[in-house]
Amino acid sequence: MLAQNALLDAFIMKKALLFFAIFALAPLVFAGQEQISKEVRQELPPNPFSWEGAYIGLNAGGAFGFSEANDTREYTNFTDVRDEHADSWTYDASGFTGGIQWGYNWQRGHLVYGLETDVGYLNIDGDGFHKGDDIAVVSSTQSDFYWSTRGRLGWAFGRLLLYGTGGSITVNYDASIRNPANGDHGSHEELRPGWTGGGGIEYAFNDRWSLKAEYLYFELENGTIDINSTRTVGGDGGVFQFDHQSHGHIARLGINYHFGACAPQPEPTSGYDKSGKSVVQPVALEPAFTWTGPYVGLNFGWGKGRLAWYDEPNETNEAIVDHHQSGIFGGAQLGINTQLWQWLVIGTEAKFSGTDIGQETNTGHREAHNAETNIEWMASTALRVGVACPHFLDGRFLVYGKGGMSDAHINYRADRDTGGIARHFETDESRFAPLFGGGIEYAFSRHWTARVEYDFADYGWKIIRGNRSQDFRSVGGRLSVDSEQYQTRARLHSVEAGVSYKF
């Protein structure tokens, strides 16, 4: 009996000790569970937003500014053609602008820098009336197509970006001068280059989309407008010239879609096999090739084109030169590409080349001993659109077309013998023209590409003149305008090979 009581007491004691142990440890157990649940519920901090990467978007706004006309040959004041102070007047020109932009940003800390191209519609529209001492004229301005290539430099406050921007702009521009009284009229439509600069603010309201407000100032290069008129002193006809320029402001809003930065190449990794004994060797994974990013390179090629000189009225109006010119050229290119949807590649490219393209001709013309033309250098900006098939050569082969603007700086020389008096004529002209072409490009490594390309530019008709002091002569004791000038046309085909380094 005593033994049974002793066993019962021992059993009760063990139960009591177990109960008190559970009671004492329960807070620690539940606290641990609560801590674990808190750790599980704790969210990882979000990745910081980055502006780096390619983007594309739309913009719309307004343009407002001024156009200026300068009567360089005193058409409105022809009673004194030797007046050194030509008439000038300005007038308002404004309109709507809208288009598409794309570019690429790099971010280092708070500093954000990149390249951007935009293309679209820009309406510089206006006209102005001017009353000179003798004649009243109306000058008008119109434009439609434009594109610009600009650098951007900014400072990021997280998702807010403040930036400045500047670069080149080209506008398809039409300017005219007309005399309502007698019907004299002159106009000139051309792709007119210029520069632009400004700044803006951009806010990313999520990881892919951003809104921006931007201001740009632009100034276009001077152009010329010619009027053929019979209303001169003494009734002798002549060609009068007006310089024309536009400058103004653009205010616009835009929206961008951001593709993000290119995926970095994974670092080599190491570990153990399933048994936990053998070390797995480091393995580097090769990321898919992409054309996205900036590049620089060199090019070398050969160009050939046709050049014609015409002795412009009031002279003989004969073709004194009609020949082909050819030669080599070489230079550098830089640009940026953005690859969309794995196969579409959109880019912007700028080139500069020195050339040996030229021709000297002994004309045998009765008033010209020889004529020489040399293209001293060429520059261009162009948009490129290409296709890279991801299933062919791993997407490293690109077929592209391009369109843009070319600037050829041409030197003209001619020796004339008029009435036994030898005269030397020489002038330099920048000729702007639409540029079209295309080519193929292959990336033989992640950073190096090789290309073959064909381009064509038709620089159209342009009147070139000597010094203004030679444009006036005395006829029968009367002062008249002497159109000492030529009309020229130049076209150029070029084939080049090049290599580029892609960053």
Side-chain angles (χ1 to χ4, degrees), residues 371-390:
E372 183 178 356
T373 310
N374 295 292
I375 301 177
E376 299 176 340
W377 52 262
M378 300 184 300
S380 66
T381 59
L383 309 177
R384 301 202 319 167
V385 178
V387 174
C389 179

Side-chain angles (χ1 to χ4, degrees), residues 246-263:
S246 285
H247 56 93
H249 315 268
I250 296 173
R252 61 188 182 182
L253 300 175
I255 185 170
N256 287 323
Y257 177 82
H258 297 260
F259 296 90
C262 300

Side-chain angles (χ1 to χ4, degrees), residues 396-438:
R396 294 173 178 264
F397 185 75
L398 178 67
V399 180
Y400 64 89
K402 62 184 296 187
M405 184 199 68
S406 174
D407 175 13
H409 191 76
I410 307 178
N411 177 261
Y412 300 89
R413 298 187 183 95
D415 292 318
R416 294 174 58 92
D417 188 350
T418 306
I421 302 176
R423 300 178 63 185
H424 178 72
F425 177 88
E426 182 173 353
T427 187
D428 291 298
E429 293 282 340
S430 285
R431 304 286 292 270
F432 297 95
L435 174 73
F436 300 99

Side-chain angles (χ1 to χ4, degrees), residues 13 29 31 94 119 163 188 211 225 236 256 269 278-279 295 318 329 350 374 393 422 486 489:
M13 182 62 68
V29 172
S94 60
V119 59
Y163 64 90
H188 190 195
L211 292 172
I225 306 171
D236 296 321
N256 287 323
T269 59
S278 301
V279 176
Y295 61 89
E318 296 181 42
F329 64 89
N374 295 292
L393 297 176
Y486 299 95
R489 184 177 187 181

Side-chain angles (χ1 to χ4, degrees), residues 290-360:
T290 177
W291 288 92
T292 297
Y295 61 89
V296 296
L298 301 174
N299 63 76
F300 182 81
W302 179 78
K304 183 176 182 179
R306 184 180 178 186
L307 178 74
W309 287 48
Y310 292 88
D311 196 5
E312 182 71 6
N314 299 321
E315 303 279 345
T316 62
N317 198 28
E318 296 181 42
I320 61 174
V321 173
D322 191 355
H323 61 213
H324 288 85
Q325 54 182 355
S326 61
I328 61 174
F329 64 89
Q333 71 268 359
L334 61 90
I336 183 170
N337 289 320
T338 301
Q339 187 163 354
L340 309 175
W341 305 298
Q342 295 186 335
W343 58 271
L344 179 64
V345 179
I346 301 176
T348 304
E349 184 176 84
K351 286 185 184 179
F352 182 87
S353 302
T355 89
D356 188 37
I357 301 173
Q359 181 69 39
E360 182 175 3

Side-chain angles (χ1 to χ4, degrees), residues 3-20:
Q4 291 179 351
N5 291 337
L7 291 174
L8 180 61
D9 291 339
F11 177 76
I12 294 173
M13 182 62 68
K14 289 181 179 180
K15 292 291 185 179
L17 291 175
L18 180 60
F19 174 77
F20 283 114

